[in-house]
Amino acid sequence: MRNAIFEALAEAARNGEAVVLGIISGVKGSSPQKVGAKALFYGDGRIKGTLGGGCLEAEIQQRAIQSLRTGQPSTFDLLLDHDFGWDDGLICGGKVLGLIVPNAQNAGEKFWAELGDRNTALSWGVDAGFKIQGVPIDLCGGTSKLQHPSSREAPNSNIQSASSPPETERAEEDWLYRETISPPCALWIAGAGHIAQAVAPLALQLDFDVTVFDDRPALASHQFFPKEVTLQAEVWDKLLALPLPAVPSFALIVTRGHRHDALVLKDWICKPFHFIGMIGSSRKARIIFAHFHEEKIATEQQLQRVSCPVGIRIGAKSVMEIAVSILAQFVEKRADLLARMTKSESK
């Protein structure tokens, strides 16, 4: 869940290794990568991350190496047409715009490491003068400060020094690129059985912060789950009393039986999960939903957040196929949520 590009920038800063940061800042039409894609270009030809591969990346790498020699930043505006990309298959027909920022490691190890950790929401960007900027953000009532590059760590002109105050309110045209790095969405999984054991490691790779709950300590063990997964083993009454984290949260209910599934759903449906998936059949969903209606446990609006059976239809049979089906639905729901949030912020 740590950001690999920012971690690599922190490592380059720690080792004093010069690197060029390439960023896609805009796209028009079809393109192999989206806005925000990043790659690091090293003097020895290594590339970390990707801006789309093929001739597009080769062209940007050539410009990046030249930028590393001269220390001069630049922008690029490339049309992915027949002439440019036929040999490498990049004939998307779109246009890709971006930045080439040499010596980005000079922003400092701490600056990039804090972005890489993703412990809280942090905003950063590259201004019109190709200066790397960090902007603190208030999150859930607290203030998390992104350390600005120091003058000692930033001798080059494209790095904002600490002596220059952070500019939190600037016109949009003052930025060549800007983004907010947020903590990953939470995925709570009720049940530590074979489905959870298949879903959890894949969910980590898909950038979810995973917590698994079960009342069986023998199963809620890192013997079966990666060390990055948080495990909670206790009686269900105590597990269900735990509060959600202050990030967008999703839930998957895959306990050892219908009774436990209903027990967890009865509590979790009252929590502000954006989406709840539950293993089982359509008949199971009808029975549980009807009971919740009759007993006034949940409203129709609350039940609309629940998908049972969970997962998209791909003809899944094996445990791993089921895990792929489940997480495909969660990725879709997360994308919908983030798109709505982005649209709301832009108004």
Side-chain angles (χ1 to χ4, degrees):
M1 291 173 297
R2 295 168 64 88
N3 186 292
I5 292 294
F6 295 144
E7 284 194 318
L9 279 162
E11 181 181 6
R14 184 166 55 252
N15 297 333
E17 183 176 19
V19 294
V20 177
L21 173 62
I23 308 171
I24 292 182
S25 59
V27 296
K28 297 179 180 178
S30 300
S31 66
Q33 276 284 23
K34 296 182 180 181
V35 172
K38 302 175 186 69
L40 294 184
F41 300 93
Y42 296 79
D44 60 6
R46 286 177 294 141
I47 302 175
K48 179 83 171 181
T50 181
L51 298 179
C55 56
L56 169 63
E57 198 153 271
E59 173 68 22
I60 298 172
Q61 183 182 26
Q62 184 177 11
R63 299 186 186 195
I65 296 301
Q66 180 65 20
S67 175
L68 200 57
R69 294 193 186 105
T70 64
Q72 294 301 311
S74 63
T75 62
F76 58 83
D77 184 341
L78 301 174
L79 180 62
L80 307 180
D81 60 5
H82 181 281
D83 294 332
F84 179 74
W86 179 260
D87 290 342
D88 292 299
L90 288 177
I91 52 173
C92 310
K95 180 184 285 190
V96 176
L97 302 89
L99 314 177
I100 295 173
V101 185
N103 296 306
Q105 79 284 349
N106 284 338
E109 179 182 355
K110 185 172 183 179
F111 180 88
W112 294 119
E114 287 183 358
L115 284 170
D117 286 342
R118 298 177 66 201
N119 291 327
T120 189
L122 296 168
S123 182
W124 78 284
V126 181
D127 71 9
F130 287 92
K131 293 179 180 178
I132 294 174
Q133 302 268 10
V135 182
I137 293 179
D138 287 336
L139 181 63
C140 301
T143 300
S144 178
K145 294 185 178 180
L146 178 61
Q147 178 68 43
H148 284 266
S150 70
S151 55
R152 177 181 58 82
E153 295 174 311
N156 289 356
S157 60
N158 64 310
I159 308 297
Q160 176 69 35
S161 73
S163 59
S164 301
E167 301 175 63
T168 57
E169 296 183 8
R170 302 178 60 175
E172 192 67 32
E173 58 268 20
D174 289 342
W175 297 95
L176 296 174
Y177 178 76
R178 184 172 54 177
E179 70 176 352
T180 296
I181 303 299
S182 300
C185 294
L187 174 59
W188 280 19
I189 303 176
H194 57 287
I195 297 295
Q197 291 170 24
V199 166
L202 183 54
L204 289 175
Q205 295 180 60
L206 294 171
D207 200 33
F208 286 96
D209 185 3
V210 182
T211 303
V212 174
F213 303 81
D214 207 299
D215 61 349
R216 299 166 292 178
L219 280 182
S221 164
H222 283 119
Q223 178 182 351
F224 304 108
F225 293 93
K227 61 179 177 25
E228 295 86 359
V229 172
T230 300
L231 300 174
Q232 296 282 358
E234 199 32 284
V235 297
W236 281 110
D237 284 347
K238 291 185 178 180
L239 293 176
L240 296 176
L242 295 174
L244 283 181
V247 296
S249 301
F250 299 79
L252 173 63
I253 301 175
V254 285
T255 71
R256 60 182 178 274
H258 299 335
R259 185 174 68 85
H260 285 88
D261 286 348
L263 173 70
V264 174
L265 181 61
K266 181 179 179 181
D267 181 89
W268 281 9
I269 203 168
C270 298
K271 285 181 165 63
F273 286 107
H274 290 278
F275 173 72
I276 301 173
M278 185 168 67
I279 202 79
S281 64
S282 297
R283 180 176 181 273
K284 170 183 175 179
R286 287 195 302 271
I287 292 172
I288 292 178
F289 289 6
H291 173 68
F292 279 23
H293 271 304
E294 292 170 6
E295 299 298 322
K296 294 183 171 52
I297 294 170
T299 65
E300 182 64 34
Q301 185 177 9
Q302 288 175 315
L303 290 171
Q304 287 177 357
R305 290 186 290 124
V306 183
S307 179
C308 179
V310 64
I312 64 172
R313 296 179 180 274
I314 60 171
K317 293 182 180 180
S318 70
V319 171
M320 281 307 303
E321 288 173 343
I322 293 170
V324 169
S325 167
I326 289 171
L327 282 168
Q329 188 173 26
F330 276 84
V331 168
E332 180 184 44
K333 295 295 183 181
R334 180 179 62 184
D336 289 344
L337 171 65
L338 297 178
R340 292 197 305 272
M341 292 170 64
T342 300
K343 185 176 180 180
S344 176
E345 290 171 359
S346 64
K347 290 182 178 179

